[in-house]
Amino acid sequence: MLLLRTLALLRRIFLIEGIMALALRRRQYDHVVHIDTDSQPRILHYGEDFLLEDLPIGTRVVYPKPPIVGLPNPEAAIRYALHHPLDSEPLHAQLFPGMKVTIAMDDISLPLPPMKTPDIRQQVLEIVLDMITAHGVDDIHLIVANSLHRKMTESEMKRMVGSKIFNAYHPDRFYNHDAEDPEEMVHLGKTDHHEPVNINRRAAESDLLIYVNINLVPMDGGHKSVTVGLCDYESLRPHHEPQTIIDSDSYMDPAQSALSRKCERMGKIVDEHMNVFHIETALNNDMFLSPMSFLARNEDHFSDKDWALFNMTRATLAKLPRTAKRKMFFQFPANYKMIACYAGKTEPVHERILKHCFDQYAVPVKGQCDILITGIAYVSPYNVNSILNPILVQVMGPGYFFNMYRNKPVVKKGGVMILTHPCYDDFDPAFHPSYIEFFNRCLPDTKDSFELRAKYEQEFAHDPNYIQMYRRGNAYHGAHPFFMWYWAENGRKHLSKIIAVADNTYVPEMLGFDRASSLTEAIHMAKSIMGRSAEITMLHHPPIFMSDME
Amino acid sequence: MRKNTKRAKAAAAFYDMDGTLVKTNLVHALLFQAKNQQGVLKSITRTAQITASIPVFFLTDLYNRSVFQERFFRSYKGESEDRLRFLSEELFEEVLKPSIFPGAIDLIERSRSIGLRQVLVTGALDVTVAPLARYLRIDDWITNRLEFVDGFATGRLLPPVMVNATKASWIRTYAEKEGLSLHESYCYTDSISDLPMLSVVGHPAAVNPDFRLRSAALQNNWPVLDLK
């Protein structure tokens, strides 16, 4: 009897310890789990499709934090920010009849995917415009700060600001920035590092420039908003280049980013010449609308309904052509909610907003891995309503996802990155014409960023065809694919190999990747380099997050 | 704007004119001449004749550009050379200049700024083209030329007739003679009939293209420009 009781007690103790050990192993943090024998397979984005993969036992999977609850009354938050700005007079105190006001705003690259209407920009603009017009200001222009990105289409602009504002201001007083219009650019000066600061003339010559920002990743916002969003090619060259990327560790961490430092230097020149009132907002990461919200969660916590919905979605996608799938995905807006809004001088505003961004996006992760796995979805900042072409696949993998860290990369130096995307050879000829030539003409010649910049970048930047397509169409600037290539410079230098799990056989090779036909094969290939006991981490993007490395 | 100093060899930008740089076409010039005949009655008669021929021009152009040109330039038969030249400046000021596409001047300026020679290769008449070419600061142009006997047009064209493949052939000869790199040259047109001309350069582009040229451009990954 005593023996039986002792055995039962021991069993309970071991059971509890076992559960505790399992729990500890699995729940290093809420958003970091380890694959075990009883773990569910993991969902990886694969362009416009999904892969469902059993990962090796011991694989660490990092998830985004759950969405921070949005502000209950965003309008009140915006009004409070305008009336209580940081290091600046309240907006209403800066207004006087007859003054010239320009309102610049982030373009369609933010947020991703476009958010449910009303867009935050619309909410901010409605309040700001009411206030400005009430003070007798008539000379108001609204400019999309698209920099060298493609110009937004009319329907996209209308969706962004709402039909009331659109109808009142478009096309004469609401338009896209044109970095290639020499008449509409003005040189403000040079930094002490000889970086030229050329800015949109209307913005520079206004009595007040109001910038309406949306912050999704820490690279955005701050001085980058004006110095990049409203600049020209010559002003962009000093920091959109490979050495600046190499000098940034990483460019997603403003404190360690040479890109941010250069923008700050240029921003000081802007502040010397212009009166800038910055309105920055931070969003939560509530990316998926209700039926698909499970995609952001740990698969071990999926209900039967979630799995049924996932399997149904996957089966439907398998039957659709790629263009239809893409169109379908872009029909689903994100459910983002505003979690903070500040206004005033650029630097203090950005500092506050960054804190909120990190609260949402920074995920603590302990220890680097040998093999990093990440899925690549259908969207990037540069292909809204368009195709994620091979160069953009590259910018998402060894570019953005590699760089989404603070302190040190998630993967060790010399490690391997595995990304999953079909890597189809498909480009949008209207949005990405110069990408086509870059991919087919430049990459077969060299993949070295410095050589590409020296040999081809200026030619593409000054190509009259690409300039016209940028100015009169909706094309990205001729130099844009080069910037996208430089964006992945640190990933390429840091990693010993990048393996694409892809359908296409030659696109990965063109990008300098190895190719595998399945994730299992890719992991075997990676282990052949990193050893059988290689530590594997999967980043469960999207929603995006930053790994705060310990 | 900077010059591209890295170009190994001189190159050019070749442009078609009608529909590419200006929104008018050959018929607009012909109608202008008809409208400005000596005497009101003659003007009305000629204008009516030309207007009545427009459907025929349209159909023959759809069928074959060479047949169209042959048929079209016959309409000039009997026109005085002096009068055509006399009216050319007026034609430019009243018809062509307002019809220049907004993006055309910018395209030419950008192209010149990177060191490309500017060349017009068009099926329009020399008298029509010259004032426009001077206005756009075009370096060189090749056009169609009417045959005149005793100062009056016969309705025939002098060789080389600028149409379809002859444009491409002329570009090849011109580039060889001038030491231009076709590989680094650009070419712009709006019509599928100029496909041969697009095919001989390294940087072809379809401008305000018709459906057939747009399809060809997309198939070949050529840029499609809208200068309107």
Side-chain angles (χ1 to χ4, degrees):
Chain A
M1 194 64 183
L2 186 66
L3 184 65
L4 282 175
R5 279 189 178 176
T6 311
L7 282 173
L9 186 64
L10 284 172
R11 200 175 147 208
R12 279 182 68 187
I13 290 168
F14 281 118
L15 189 63
I16 290 164
E17 275 189 356
I19 291 167
M20 280 174 68
L22 193 66
L24 279 173
R25 201 163 70 235
R26 282 189 176 169
R27 297 172 69 85
Q28 182 185 5
Y29 299 103
D30 282 346
H31 35 265
V32 177
V33 293
H34 286 80
I35 299 295
D36 211 329
T37 47
D38 56 349
S39 295
Q40 293 287 348
R42 257 55 195 176
I43 296 170
L44 287 111
H45 285 265
Y46 188 70
E48 291 81 2
D49 288 290
F50 297 100
L51 298 180
L52 189 62
E53 297 284 346
D54 282 310
L55 297 177
I57 291 168
T59 299
R60 176 175 62 175
V61 185
V62 187
Y63 289 87
K65 286 179 184 171
I68 293 174
V69 177
L71 294 172
N73 189 344
E75 285 190 13
I78 295 164
R79 283 182 199 283
Y80 185 86
L82 300 179
H83 291 303
H84 302 85
L86 306 172
D87 294 355
S88 164
E89 290 289 306
L91 181 59
H92 61 82
Q94 299 194 40
L95 302 171
F96 54 89
M99 74 184 299
K100 196 187 220 184
V101 175
T102 298
I103 306 174
M105 68 204 81
D106 285 337
D107 72 352
I108 199 163
S109 60
L110 288 163
L112 280 182
M115 62 189 294
K116 238 173 20 176
T117 53
D119 189 287
I120 280 189
R121 281 160 288 213
Q122 180 184 339
Q123 291 178 293
V124 174
L125 283 172
E126 281 173 355
I127 294 166
V128 168
L129 285 170
D130 273 353
M131 191 185 286
I132 296 174
T133 48
H135 282 75
V137 181
D138 301 322
D139 190 357
I140 306 165
H141 279 215
L142 313 180
I143 304 178
V144 179
N146 50 285
S147 187
L148 303 192
H149 290 177
R150 72 172 174 90
K151 294 184 176 186
M152 290 176 68
T153 64
E154 286 186 8
S155 59
E156 289 167 344
M157 289 166 79
K158 192 171 189 173
R159 185 184 185 281
M160 185 167 85
V161 300
S163 41
K164 190 178 155 204
I165 294 174
F166 181 84
N167 293 338
Y169 289 89
H170 182 80
D172 298 334
R173 295 187 299 150
F174 178 32
Y175 46 85
N176 290 284
H177 166 68
D178 184 351
E180 284 293 344
D181 186 346
E183 301 297 313
E184 290 305 321
M185 295 300 298
V186 63
H187 177 68
L188 293 186
K190 282 188 175 178
T191 67
D192 49 7
H193 287 67
H194 307 291
E195 294 133 347
V197 182
N198 304 331
I199 295 291
N200 181 289
R201 181 180 293 279
R202 165 74 204 192
E205 292 178 354
S206 293
D207 298 305
L208 176 64
L209 171 68
I210 300 169
Y211 196 99
V212 182
N213 151 281
I214 294 180
N215 242 317
L216 196 68
V217 292
M219 186 176 70
D220 302 328
H223 283 299
K224 186 169 174 279
S225 296
V226 175
T227 60
V228 171
L230 296 172
C231 80
D232 64 3
Y233 171 65
E234 295 305 326
S235 262
L236 210 61
R237 285 203 87 211
H239 46 67
H240 278 50
E241 54 93 31
Q243 192 57 50
T244 306
I245 302 303
I246 290 170
D247 294 342
S248 301
D249 183 23
S250 73
Y251 52 72
M252 289 292 180
D253 179 4
Q256 302 298 326
S257 166
L259 176 66
S260 286
R261 283 195 292 277
K262 289 187 177 186
C263 286
E264 278 165 24
R265 281 203 295 264
M266 296 169 105
K268 290 198 191 318
I269 302 286
V270 167
D271 284 345
E272 282 171 19
H273 292 81
M274 296 162 62
N275 179 20
V276 182
F277 188 83
H278 222 91
I279 305 169
E280 289 207 15
T281 59
L283 300 179
N284 68 8
N285 64 352
D286 195 0
M287 183 176 171
F288 300 105
L289 282 173
S290 145
M292 303 299 281
S293 56
F294 63 86
L295 284 170
R297 292 207 318 266
N298 180 348
E299 288 83 346
D300 291 333
H301 302 158
F302 275 23
S303 65
D304 290 343
K305 189 180 147 199
D306 292 335
W307 280 118
L309 200 54
F310 172 73
N311 288 325
M312 201 169 69
T313 308
R314 211 167 155 224
T316 310
L317 290 171
K319 301 238 180 305
L320 292 173
R322 196 188 304 144
T323 37
K325 284 189 266 199
R326 193 176 297 133
K327 198 148 182 69
M328 191 184 85
F329 274 113
F330 280 116
Q331 293 302 313
F332 290 115
N335 198 29
Y336 296 127
K337 297 278 188 308
M338 190 166 84
I339 55 172
C341 178
Y342 290 95
K345 279 280 169 211
T346 307
E347 286 168 20
V349 166
H350 189 50
E351 199 183 317
R352 298 279 184 101
I353 283 293
L354 275 181
K355 189 186 165 299
H356 287 275
C357 277
F358 283 124
D359 284 348
Q360 175 65 86
Y361 290 100
V363 173
V365 177
K366 198 173 179 179
Q368 290 176 297
C369 65
D370 301 296
I371 301 168
L372 184 68
I373 302 173
T374 183
I376 308 286
Y378 65 98
V379 69
S380 78
Y382 316 105
N383 76 305
V384 176
N385 299 324
S386 181
I387 301 162
L388 192 86
N389 65 48
I391 307 298
L392 296 178
V393 170
Q394 174 260 180
V395 86
M396 291 308 288
Y400 284 172
F401 289 161
F402 171 81
N403 278 281
M404 295 290 269
Y405 67 83
R406 278 204 295 191
N407 302 327
K408 55 190 172 187
V410 182
V411 58
K412 288 174 190 163
K413 174 84 178 163
V416 175
M417 175 183 247
I418 298 172
L419 54 89
T420 61
H421 189 276
C423 290
Y424 34 71
D425 182 4
D426 203 357
F427 291 83
D428 187 323
F431 285 4
H432 302 119
S434 60
Y435 281 65
I436 303 173
E437 188 178 354
F438 178 85
F439 181 73
N440 291 294
R441 182 178 152 220
C442 304
L443 284 188
D445 180 25
T446 178
K447 292 174 181 48
D448 181 274
S449 292
F450 290 94
E451 202 178 336
L452 284 164
R453 178 172 157 96
K455 202 168 170 183
Y456 295 109
E457 189 196 290
Q458 296 253 8
E459 181 199 327
F460 276 59
H462 297 288
D463 186 298
N465 295 347
Y466 297 141
I467 290 176
Q468 292 310 315
M469 294 179 83
Y470 162 80
R471 295 197 67 192
R472 293 172 200 288
N474 298 98
Y476 279 82
H477 193 271
H480 203 262
F482 291 84
F483 304 153
M484 295 298 95
W485 191 258
Y486 310 153
W487 252 211
E489 189 63 15
N490 286 351
R492 276 191 298 270
K493 286 220 175 326
H494 185 88
L495 300 159
S496 63
K497 203 173 272 300
I498 301 165
I499 303 170
V501 178
D503 292 338
N504 188 293
T505 50
Y506 60 89
V507 166
E509 192 188 335
M510 287 276 269
L511 297 172
F513 302 167
D514 282 14
R515 177 191 169 267
S517 44
S518 68
L519 185 62
T520 311
E521 186 190 340
I523 291 171
H524 278 300
M525 287 163 70
K527 281 189 169 179
S528 72
I529 301 163
M530 303 308 296
R532 287 175 60 81
S533 57
E535 289 176 20
I536 306 174
T537 294
M538 175 189 157
L539 301 179
H540 205 284
H541 290 295
I544 51 165
F545 56 87
M546 276 190 75
S547 302
D548 230 347
M549 297 299 292
E550 290 176 26
Chain B
M1 233 178 281
R2 64 181 290 285
K3 287 248 180 194
N4 189 341
T5 49
K6 288 186 183 163
R7 199 177 298 288
K9 203 175 167 189
F14 299 97
Y15 304 90
D16 170 49
M17 188 180 91
D18 292 319
T20 305
L21 299 180
V22 293
K23 64 178 167 214
T24 53
N25 55 39
L26 293 171
V27 178
H28 289 93
L30 181 61
L31 273 172
F32 182 82
Q33 304 286 358
K35 204 173 77 180
N36 290 282
Q37 295 287 316
Q38 284 176 311
V40 179
L41 191 64
K42 201 173 170 191
S43 290
I44 293 170
T45 317
R46 284 289 288 146
T47 307
Q49 280 173 347
I50 305 297
T51 312
S53 307
I54 288 174
V56 181
F57 293 152
F58 177 74
L59 289 172
T60 46
D61 190 29
L62 271 184
Y63 167 65
N64 186 305
R65 180 54 71 95
S66 314
V67 176
F68 160 75
Q69 283 209 347
E70 197 181 316
R71 171 76 186 78
F72 175 81
F73 286 112
R74 230 183 284 155
S75 310
Y76 278 94
K77 190 176 176 182
E79 293 288 344
S80 127
E81 184 177 5
D82 289 347
R83 184 137 192 92
L84 286 176
R85 292 199 187 285
F86 173 75
L87 287 173
S88 65
E89 285 298 332
E90 229 171 289
L91 169 70
F92 169 67
E93 288 296 333
E94 288 182 25
V95 180
L96 295 180
K97 198 173 165 187
S99 308
I100 298 171
F101 286 123
I105 293 173
D106 189 37
L107 176 67
I108 291 168
E109 283 303 317
R110 304 267 178 182
S111 177
R112 185 181 292 114
S113 77
I114 58 166
L116 297 173
R117 186 182 299 187
Q118 306 300 300
V119 185
L120 261 183
V121 184
T122 170
L125 290 175
D126 50 353
V127 286
T128 314
V129 173
L132 178 77
R134 282 194 291 271
Y135 177 77
L136 295 174
R137 299 201 292 137
I138 297 288
D139 299 308
D140 234 334
W141 56 93
I142 177 77
T143 64
N144 274 325
R145 293 166 304 147
L146 286 170
E147 181 190 61
F148 292 98
V149 174
D150 298 330
F152 290 93
T154 61
R156 287 189 294 271
L157 292 173
L158 290 171
V161 176
M162 285 294 118
V163 66
N164 300 351
T166 54
K167 283 186 174 180
S169 166
W170 184 87
I171 288 173
R172 277 182 193 282
T173 313
Y174 178 82
E176 202 177 323
K177 193 176 77 184
E178 299 290 324
L180 301 173
S181 160
L182 282 179
H183 176 67
E184 296 201 30
S185 289
Y186 290 66
C187 187
Y188 302 91
T189 185
D190 68 314
S191 166
I192 190 74
S193 64
D194 287 331
L195 200 59
M197 158 171 153
L198 290 174
S199 307
V200 297
V201 297
H203 298 273
V207 180
N208 319 317
D210 54 28
F211 175 74
R212 288 182 295 170
L213 181 60
R214 182 180 291 277
S215 305
L218 292 176
Q219 276 176 357
N220 290 287
N221 283 331
W222 295 339
V224 178
L225 276 60
D226 183 356
L227 300 181
K228 289 176 183 168

